[in-house]
Amino acid sequence: MMNRVILGLGSNQQENENMIRATDALKNIFPGILFSDVVYTKPVGLITENLFLNRVGIAYLPCDIPEINKELKRIERELGCLPYDKEQGCIKIDIDLLQWNEMVLKPEDLQREDVIKGLQSLL
């Protein structure tokens, strides 16, 4: 069975380079994944004022939630994310599983304007 997966990607450190690297890594492990255009947004809930480069991805995968999250965290680590980076407002790359099929995992993220517009462009 194929599962519809919606991902949110964001970076505020070397954001163009990190977004390209994350997008390429996701394409390698999730063939057929589609991405919205990238957009800059203001940070929410962080101590930094650095703008974020964001995009949305959508894919249809045979994977379950733990498998997907394992791959997302592996990519984040490979791009140099450290556990304490978020506390300092330094986000090299953040890849979140926002929705799996009809199960909303990050409702607040799905309500952000950049995510809504990104999804509209993909659906």
Side-chain angles (χ1 to χ4, degrees):
M1 178 180 158
M2 297 301 273
N3 300 295
R4 186 182 70 166
V5 174
I6 298 174
L7 304 177
L9 290 77
S11 175
N12 73 351
Q13 300 292 308
Q14 298 176 318
E15 58 274 5
N16 288 309
E17 177 185 337
N18 285 327
M19 188 62 69
I20 290 168
R21 291 176 62 202
T23 299
D24 288 346
L26 287 165
K27 286 178 182 177
N28 285 332
I29 59 172
F30 302 139
I33 190 168
L34 300 174
F35 293 98
S36 67
D37 290 336
V38 293
V39 295
Y40 278 98
T41 62
K42 293 181 180 178
V44 176
L46 293 175
I47 61 171
T48 185
E49 293 185 18
N50 294 354
L51 291 177
F52 273 81
L53 188 61
N54 294 291
R55 80 179 336 167
V56 176
I58 188 167
Y60 293 86
L61 310 168
C63 309
D64 62 15
I65 293 173
E67 289 176 277
I68 294 166
N69 279 328
K70 179 181 175 184
E71 290 298 325
L72 301 182
K73 295 308 168 199
R74 182 184 59 77
I75 292 169
E76 290 178 350
R77 282 190 309 274
E78 286 179 1
L79 292 181
C81 294
L82 300 171
Y84 55 84
D85 286 345
K86 195 169 193 174
E87 295 168 9
Q88 298 175 354
C90 174
I91 309 297
K92 293 175 183 144
I93 193 71
D94 185 31
I95 311 171
D96 291 324
L97 178 57
L98 306 180
Q99 186 169 329
W100 187 78
N101 293 320
E102 300 306 315
M103 184 186 310
V104 174
L105 303 168
K106 299 251 180 176
E108 64 284 349
D109 289 357
L110 284 173
Q111 294 175 11
R112 290 192 345 238
E113 184 178 345
D114 63 294
V115 173
I116 292 168
K117 286 183 178 179
L119 283 172
Q120 289 171 343
S121 74
L122 292 172
L123 302 173

